[in-house]
Amino acid sequence: MNFDEIIERVGTHSAKWDQMEPLYGVSPKDGISMWVADMDFRPPAGVQRAVEKMAEHGVYGYFGGDQDYKGAIQWWMDNRHGWTVDAKAIMTTHGLVNGTGMCVDTYTNPGDGVVLFTPVYHAFARTIRAARREVVECPLVIEDGIYKMDFDAYDAQMTGNEKMVILCSPHNPGGRVWTLEELKSVAAFAKRHDLILVSDEIHHDLVMPGNKHHVMAVAAPDIMDRLVMMTATTKTFNIAGSHTGNVIIPDDTLRAKFSARMMALGISGNSFGLEMTTAAYSPEGAEWVDALVEYLDGNRRLLDEALNAIPGVTSMPMESTYLAWVDFSGTGMDQSEYKKRIEQDARIAANHGETFGKGGETFMRFNFATPRARVAEAAERLKAAFGDLQ
């Protein structure tokens, strides 16, 4: 659990490090990559051992017999989230962006509306539009510095063309852990407008101390006939390259439709991802995650202190994830100016807020899941880049 170790990722086909210069003009030679949501840490040793065992065996055939894999998922959800999962409800996709696309493909038709509470994870809108569905943006509102939902406004927006709502829980990029009452309100909204509710809970293990994540399936058990749960080990354990996620569908009818689409498209599990997931969802994995969250919380406090010390800059109070959501509107600068200071002066690659939809236009998203020395360096660079405002 040496999260302070600097691991060289440049030249390893790392999207995070090898693509930041083409995308942001920041060279990995002297730049800091703080954009795409993967971590610069190795996973638990048990995950590495699982991969080494496969390599030692040396035969990479089709995966068969998923009892241990599904059992590990059941154990984790029960022990970490108080959620009892039926093994037959678990469907495995090639990551949760694929899972999102599969849900859109299965439960909606071209031209249908899919509701998003924006700003939100940008891959949702990209996937929906690529499938020739309509993105219906329901803007979040900022109250007391954090995102809240305005269901009176959302109810007024609905036209009847909407068939699905996708919830990001915990929220990316705002870092909100939705309260039990808020989750019940989302469920009621889905029922009022006869929407399939897809709850993407990929960040549900990365919750900062003092906060409590509630699984939608537990928060609102009366909506099982329209609920699709999405979970994965990939964000929790930094194994996104395994492209393995779970779409967990309690309702038999909904699950049969999803299963049929998977069969039609020939989708089956990646043996490496299945073995890594089985190893990760374990007592050893749980111990590793607890240490990780404590470390991330330290990084969060370090970066927030630096950002909030810059006049006109506000880092939204974060309850989960490892992604700081930072508002530059108070500086009075336009996008080109503060992006120049971040990318050219500080030499930091961070996500542009407008890509997350309405409400994100004045924000930048910074990934601080990296060794603390690098976060400290980024903090100093940002203070220097905006030093004239002090």
PDB file of all heavy atoms in Angstrom, residues 12 88 100 112 121 125 131 144 146 159 170 194-196 206 233 235 238 248 274-275 312 339 350 355 367:
ATOM      1  N   THR A  12       3.651   3.705 -21.714  1.00  0.00           N
ATOM      2  CA  THR A  12       3.054   2.394 -21.395  1.00  0.00           C
ATOM      3  C   THR A  12       1.644   2.249 -21.978  1.00  0.00           C
ATOM      4  O   THR A  12       0.872   1.434 -21.522  1.00  0.00           O
ATOM      5  CB  THR A  12       2.977   2.201 -19.868  1.00  0.00           C
ATOM      6  OG1 THR A  12       2.084   3.172 -19.293  1.00  0.00           O
ATOM      7  CG2 THR A  12       4.352   2.330 -19.228  1.00  0.00           C
ATOM      8  N   LYS A  88     -28.146 -14.561  -9.932  1.00  0.00           N
ATOM      9  CA  LYS A  88     -28.701 -14.593 -11.295  1.00  0.00           C
ATOM     10  C   LYS A  88     -28.991 -13.193 -11.845  1.00  0.00           C
ATOM     11  O   LYS A  88     -29.179 -13.017 -13.053  1.00  0.00           O
ATOM     12  CB  LYS A  88     -29.967 -15.440 -11.340  1.00  0.00           C
ATOM     13  CG  LYS A  88     -31.207 -14.857 -10.709  1.00  0.00           C
ATOM     14  CD  LYS A  88     -32.421 -15.747 -11.009  1.00  0.00           C
ATOM     15  CE  LYS A  88     -33.732 -15.164 -10.511  1.00  0.00           C
ATOM     16  NZ  LYS A  88     -33.892 -15.297  -9.053  1.00  0.00           N
ATOM     17  N   THR A 100     -23.740   1.250 -19.979  1.00  0.00           N
ATOM     18  CA  THR A 100     -24.652   2.350 -20.281  1.00  0.00           C
ATOM     19  C   THR A 100     -25.205   2.218 -21.690  1.00  0.00           C
ATOM     20  O   THR A 100     -26.418   2.341 -21.922  1.00  0.00           O
ATOM     21  CB  THR A 100     -23.927   3.702 -20.131  1.00  0.00           C
ATOM     22  OG1 THR A 100     -23.447   3.835 -18.797  1.00  0.00           O
ATOM     23  CG2 THR A 100     -24.848   4.860 -20.462  1.00  0.00           C
ATOM     24  N   ASP A 112     -35.919   8.572 -28.651  1.00  0.00           N
ATOM     25  CA  ASP A 112     -36.376   8.666 -27.264  1.00  0.00           C
ATOM     26  C   ASP A 112     -35.464   9.586 -26.455  1.00  0.00           C
ATOM     27  O   ASP A 112     -34.270   9.719 -26.745  1.00  0.00           O
ATOM     28  CB  ASP A 112     -36.385   7.294 -26.594  1.00  0.00           C
ATOM     29  CG  ASP A 112     -37.520   6.400 -27.068  1.00  0.00           C
ATOM     30  OD1 ASP A 112     -38.463   6.917 -27.701  1.00  0.00           O
ATOM     31  OD2 ASP A 112     -37.457   5.179 -26.798  1.00  0.00           O
ATOM     32  N   TYR A 121     -20.916  13.018 -15.695  1.00  0.00           N
ATOM     33  CA  TYR A 121     -19.933  12.236 -16.449  1.00  0.00           C
ATOM     34  C   TYR A 121     -20.219  12.295 -17.947  1.00  0.00           C
ATOM     35  O   TYR A 121     -21.288  11.904 -18.404  1.00  0.00           O
ATOM     36  CB  TYR A 121     -19.971  10.798 -15.942  1.00  0.00           C
ATOM     37  CG  TYR A 121     -19.044   9.832 -16.637  1.00  0.00           C
ATOM     38  CD1 TYR A 121     -17.716  10.154 -16.894  1.00  0.00           C
ATOM     39  CD2 TYR A 121     -19.506   8.575 -17.020  1.00  0.00           C
ATOM     40  CE1 TYR A 121     -16.871   9.251 -17.521  1.00  0.00           C
ATOM     41  CE2 TYR A 121     -18.662   7.655 -17.640  1.00  0.00           C
ATOM     42  CZ  TYR A 121     -17.356   8.009 -17.891  1.00  0.00           C
ATOM     43  OH  TYR A 121     -16.523   7.106 -18.509  1.00  0.00           O
ATOM     44  N   ALA A 125     -23.643  11.337 -22.112  1.00  0.00           N
ATOM     45  CA  ALA A 125     -24.221  12.083 -23.230  1.00  0.00           C
ATOM     46  C   ALA A 125     -23.639  11.617 -24.563  1.00  0.00           C
ATOM     47  O   ALA A 125     -24.363  11.492 -25.558  1.00  0.00           O
ATOM     48  CB  ALA A 125     -23.980  13.580 -23.034  1.00  0.00           C
ATOM     49  N   ALA A 131     -26.138   6.783 -30.058  1.00  0.00           N
ATOM     50  CA  ALA A 131     -27.223   5.825 -30.277  1.00  0.00           C
ATOM     51  C   ALA A 131     -28.456   6.486 -30.880  1.00  0.00           C
ATOM     52  O   ALA A 131     -29.511   5.843 -31.000  1.00  0.00           O
ATOM     53  CB  ALA A 131     -27.593   5.149 -28.960  1.00  0.00           C
ATOM     54  N   ASP A 144     -25.793  26.114  -0.942  1.00  0.00           N
ATOM     55  CA  ASP A 144     -24.800  25.961   0.135  1.00  0.00           C
ATOM     56  C   ASP A 144     -23.512  25.341  -0.390  1.00  0.00           C
ATOM     57  O   ASP A 144     -22.846  24.554   0.292  1.00  0.00           O
ATOM     58  CB  ASP A 144     -25.367  25.109   1.279  1.00  0.00           C
ATOM     59  CG  ASP A 144     -26.611  25.728   1.908  1.00  0.00           C
ATOM     60  OD1 ASP A 144     -26.650  26.962   2.034  1.00  0.00           O
ATOM     61  OD2 ASP A 144     -27.541  24.966   2.246  1.00  0.00           O
ATOM     62  N   ILE A 146     -23.019  23.110  -2.743  1.00  0.00           N
ATOM     63  CA  ILE A 146     -23.050  21.754  -3.293  1.00  0.00           C
ATOM     64  C   ILE A 146     -24.252  21.576  -4.212  1.00  0.00           C
ATOM     65  O   ILE A 146     -25.191  22.380  -4.190  1.00  0.00           O
ATOM     66  CB  ILE A 146     -23.082  20.683  -2.180  1.00  0.00           C
ATOM     67  CG1 ILE A 146     -24.346  20.832  -1.320  1.00  0.00           C
ATOM     68  CG2 ILE A 146     -21.827  20.761  -1.325  1.00  0.00           C
ATOM     69  CD1 ILE A 146     -24.516  19.723  -0.299  1.00  0.00           C
ATOM     70  N   THR A 159     -41.720  15.787 -21.307  1.00  0.00           N
ATOM     71  CA  THR A 159     -42.678  15.883 -22.408  1.00  0.00           C
ATOM     72  C   THR A 159     -43.430  14.583 -22.664  1.00  0.00           C
ATOM     73  O   THR A 159     -44.395  14.560 -23.425  1.00  0.00           O
ATOM     74  CB  THR A 159     -41.948  16.270 -23.700  1.00  0.00           C
ATOM     75  OG1 THR A 159     -41.060  15.181 -24.070  1.00  0.00           O
ATOM     76  CG2 THR A 159     -41.143  17.547 -23.528  1.00  0.00           C
ATOM     77  N   PRO A 170     -22.231   7.739  -6.315  1.00  0.00           N
ATOM     78  CA  PRO A 170     -22.012   9.160  -6.071  1.00  0.00           C
ATOM     79  C   PRO A 170     -21.782   9.942  -7.363  1.00  0.00           C
ATOM     80  O   PRO A 170     -21.485   9.360  -8.404  1.00  0.00           O
ATOM     81  CB  PRO A 170     -20.753   9.181  -5.197  1.00  0.00           C
ATOM     82  CG  PRO A 170     -20.692   7.834  -4.573  1.00  0.00           C
ATOM     83  CD  PRO A 170     -21.220   6.905  -5.623  1.00  0.00           C
ATOM     84  N   ASP A 194     -42.677   7.269 -15.628  1.00  0.00           N
ATOM     85  CA  ASP A 194     -42.561   5.938 -16.227  1.00  0.00           C
ATOM     86  C   ASP A 194     -41.216   5.763 -16.937  1.00  0.00           C
ATOM     87  O   ASP A 194     -41.141   5.376 -18.106  1.00  0.00           O
ATOM     88  CB  ASP A 194     -43.712   5.685 -17.210  1.00  0.00           C
ATOM     89  CG  ASP A 194     -43.834   4.216 -17.593  1.00  0.00           C
ATOM     90  OD1 ASP A 194     -43.339   3.351 -16.829  1.00  0.00           O
ATOM     91  OD2 ASP A 194     -44.407   3.922 -18.668  1.00  0.00           O
ATOM     92  N   LEU A 195     -40.134   6.025 -16.184  1.00  0.00           N
ATOM     93  CA  LEU A 195     -38.783   5.939 -16.724  1.00  0.00           C
ATOM     94  C   LEU A 195     -38.048   4.728 -16.159  1.00  0.00           C
ATOM     95  O   LEU A 195     -38.176   4.413 -14.978  1.00  0.00           O
ATOM     96  CB  LEU A 195     -37.978   7.195 -16.356  1.00  0.00           C
ATOM     97  CG  LEU A 195     -38.584   8.547 -16.733  1.00  0.00           C
ATOM     98  CD1 LEU A 195     -37.733   9.676 -16.159  1.00  0.00           C
ATOM     99  CD2 LEU A 195     -38.711   8.687 -18.246  1.00  0.00           C
ATOM    100  N   ILE A 196     -37.263   4.060 -16.999  1.00  0.00           N
ATOM    101  CA  ILE A 196     -36.282   3.101 -16.501  1.00  0.00           C
ATOM    102  C   ILE A 196     -35.216   3.895 -15.760  1.00  0.00           C
ATOM    103  O   ILE A 196     -34.715   4.909 -16.258  1.00  0.00           O
ATOM    104  CB  ILE A 196     -35.642   2.309 -17.655  1.00  0.00           C
ATOM    105  CG1 ILE A 196     -36.684   1.479 -18.404  1.00  0.00           C
ATOM    106  CG2 ILE A 196     -34.509   1.421 -17.138  1.00  0.00           C
ATOM    107  CD1 ILE A 196     -37.270   0.348 -17.606  1.00  0.00           C
ATOM    108  N   LEU A 206     -15.524   4.786  -2.979  1.00  0.00           N
ATOM    109  CA  LEU A 206     -14.569   5.875  -2.782  1.00  0.00           C
ATOM    110  C   LEU A 206     -15.280   7.060  -2.124  1.00  0.00           C
ATOM    111  O   LEU A 206     -15.443   8.128  -2.716  1.00  0.00           O
ATOM    112  CB  LEU A 206     -13.949   6.276  -4.125  1.00  0.00           C
ATOM    113  CG  LEU A 206     -13.256   5.120  -4.863  1.00  0.00           C
ATOM    114  CD1 LEU A 206     -12.786   5.563  -6.236  1.00  0.00           C
ATOM    115  CD2 LEU A 206     -12.097   4.561  -4.043  1.00  0.00           C
ATOM    116  N   THR A 233     -15.449  -2.977 -10.178  1.00  0.00           N
ATOM    117  CA  THR A 233     -14.204  -2.870  -9.411  1.00  0.00           C
ATOM    118  C   THR A 233     -13.250  -1.856 -10.028  1.00  0.00           C
ATOM    119  O   THR A 233     -12.250  -1.488  -9.410  1.00  0.00           O
ATOM    120  CB  THR A 233     -13.476  -4.220  -9.390  1.00  0.00           C
ATOM    121  OG1 THR A 233     -13.358  -4.704 -10.749  1.00  0.00           O
ATOM    122  CG2 THR A 233     -14.198  -5.230  -8.538  1.00  0.00           C
ATOM    123  N   LYS A 235     -12.973   1.435 -10.964  1.00  0.00           N
ATOM    124  CA  LYS A 235     -12.557   2.687 -10.334  1.00  0.00           C
ATOM    125  C   LYS A 235     -11.969   2.413  -8.949  1.00  0.00           C
ATOM    126  O   LYS A 235     -10.935   2.970  -8.572  1.00  0.00           O
ATOM    127  CB  LYS A 235     -13.746   3.638 -10.211  1.00  0.00           C
ATOM    128  CG  LYS A 235     -14.128   4.322 -11.506  1.00  0.00           C
ATOM    129  CD  LYS A 235     -13.090   5.333 -11.932  1.00  0.00           C
ATOM    130  CE  LYS A 235     -13.500   6.009 -13.227  1.00  0.00           C
ATOM    131  NZ  LYS A 235     -13.395   5.177 -14.414  1.00  0.00           N
ATOM    132  N   ASN A 238      -8.479   0.611  -9.451  1.00  0.00           N
ATOM    133  CA  ASN A 238      -7.625   1.089 -10.537  1.00  0.00           C
ATOM    134  C   ASN A 238      -7.298  -0.004 -11.551  1.00  0.00           C
ATOM    135  O   ASN A 238      -6.141  -0.232 -11.907  1.00  0.00           O
ATOM    136  CB  ASN A 238      -6.325   1.693  -9.997  1.00  0.00           C
ATOM    137  CG  ASN A 238      -5.677   2.602 -11.035  1.00  0.00           C
ATOM    138  OD1 ASN A 238      -6.368   3.277 -11.791  1.00  0.00           O
ATOM    139  ND2 ASN A 238      -4.357   2.631 -11.084  1.00  0.00           N
ATOM    140  N   ILE A 248     -26.526  -5.075 -12.798  1.00  0.00           N
ATOM    141  CA  ILE A 248     -27.261  -5.948 -11.875  1.00  0.00           C
ATOM    142  C   ILE A 248     -28.741  -5.590 -11.952  1.00  0.00           C
ATOM    143  O   ILE A 248     -29.130  -4.467 -11.613  1.00  0.00           O
ATOM    144  CB  ILE A 248     -26.714  -5.813 -10.446  1.00  0.00           C
ATOM    145  CG1 ILE A 248     -25.212  -6.166 -10.434  1.00  0.00           C
ATOM    146  CG2 ILE A 248     -27.481  -6.708  -9.476  1.00  0.00           C
ATOM    147  CD1 ILE A 248     -24.517  -5.945  -9.098  1.00  0.00           C
ATOM    148  N   LEU A 274     -12.466 -10.834 -15.070  1.00  0.00           N
ATOM    149  CA  LEU A 274     -13.218 -11.648 -14.119  1.00  0.00           C
ATOM    150  C   LEU A 274     -12.327 -12.148 -12.987  1.00  0.00           C
ATOM    151  O   LEU A 274     -12.724 -12.147 -11.811  1.00  0.00           O
ATOM    152  CB  LEU A 274     -13.876 -12.820 -14.849  1.00  0.00           C
ATOM    153  CG  LEU A 274     -14.886 -12.439 -15.945  1.00  0.00           C
ATOM    154  CD1 LEU A 274     -15.391 -13.684 -16.653  1.00  0.00           C
ATOM    155  CD2 LEU A 274     -16.051 -11.650 -15.391  1.00  0.00           C
ATOM    156  N   GLU A 275     -11.112 -12.561 -13.317  1.00  0.00           N
ATOM    157  CA  GLU A 275     -10.178 -13.017 -12.286  1.00  0.00           C
ATOM    158  C   GLU A 275      -9.742 -11.853 -11.387  1.00  0.00           C
ATOM    159  O   GLU A 275      -9.616 -12.006 -10.160  1.00  0.00           O
ATOM    160  CB  GLU A 275      -8.947 -13.667 -12.929  1.00  0.00           C
ATOM    161  CG  GLU A 275      -9.230 -14.971 -13.663  1.00  0.00           C
ATOM    162  CD  GLU A 275      -9.421 -16.159 -12.720  1.00  0.00           C
ATOM    163  OE1 GLU A 275      -9.492 -15.961 -11.486  1.00  0.00           O
ATOM    164  OE2 GLU A 275      -9.501 -17.290 -13.232  1.00  0.00           O
ATOM    165  N   GLY A 312     -11.253  34.048  -5.952  1.00  0.00           N
ATOM    166  CA  GLY A 312     -12.195  33.791  -7.042  1.00  0.00           C
ATOM    167  C   GLY A 312     -12.302  32.345  -7.462  1.00  0.00           C
ATOM    168  O   GLY A 312     -13.107  32.005  -8.322  1.00  0.00           O
ATOM    169  N   LYS A 339      -7.772  28.446 -18.611  1.00  0.00           N
ATOM    170  CA  LYS A 339      -7.221  27.215 -19.183  1.00  0.00           C
ATOM    171  C   LYS A 339      -5.750  27.412 -19.563  1.00  0.00           C
ATOM    172  O   LYS A 339      -4.920  26.517 -19.371  1.00  0.00           O
ATOM    173  CB  LYS A 339      -8.026  26.782 -20.401  1.00  0.00           C
ATOM    174  CG  LYS A 339      -9.387  26.208 -20.065  1.00  0.00           C
ATOM    175  CD  LYS A 339     -10.163  25.868 -21.319  1.00  0.00           C
ATOM    176  CE  LYS A 339     -11.546  25.333 -20.990  1.00  0.00           C
ATOM    177  NZ  LYS A 339     -12.350  25.080 -22.206  1.00  0.00           N
ATOM    178  N   ALA A 350      -6.069  18.972 -17.075  1.00  0.00           N
ATOM    179  CA  ALA A 350      -7.286  18.722 -16.303  1.00  0.00           C
ATOM    180  C   ALA A 350      -8.483  18.761 -17.251  1.00  0.00           C
ATOM    181  O   ALA A 350      -8.431  19.394 -18.312  1.00  0.00           O
ATOM    182  CB  ALA A 350      -7.445  19.756 -15.188  1.00  0.00           C
ATOM    183  N   THR A 355     -17.497  19.967 -20.978  1.00  0.00           N
ATOM    184  CA  THR A 355     -17.756  18.647 -21.545  1.00  0.00           C
ATOM    185  C   THR A 355     -18.723  17.837 -20.699  1.00  0.00           C
ATOM    186  O   THR A 355     -19.234  16.804 -21.153  1.00  0.00           O
ATOM    187  CB  THR A 355     -16.451  17.852 -21.727  1.00  0.00           C
ATOM    188  OG1 THR A 355     -15.859  17.607 -20.441  1.00  0.00           O
ATOM    189  CG2 THR A 355     -15.464  18.613 -22.601  1.00  0.00           C
ATOM    190  N   ASN A 367      -8.016  15.417 -11.196  1.00  0.00           N
ATOM    191  CA  ASN A 367      -7.857  14.078 -10.628  1.00  0.00           C
ATOM    192  C   ASN A 367      -6.633  14.080  -9.704  1.00  0.00           C
ATOM    193  O   ASN A 367      -5.509  14.261 -10.153  1.00  0.00           O
ATOM    194  CB  ASN A 367      -7.677  13.073 -11.769  1.00  0.00           C
ATOM    195  CG  ASN A 367      -7.344  11.669 -11.299  1.00  0.00           C
ATOM    196  OD1 ASN A 367      -7.165  11.412 -10.111  1.00  0.00           O
ATOM    197  ND2 ASN A 367      -7.252  10.750 -12.244  1.00  0.00           N
TER     198      ASN A 367
END
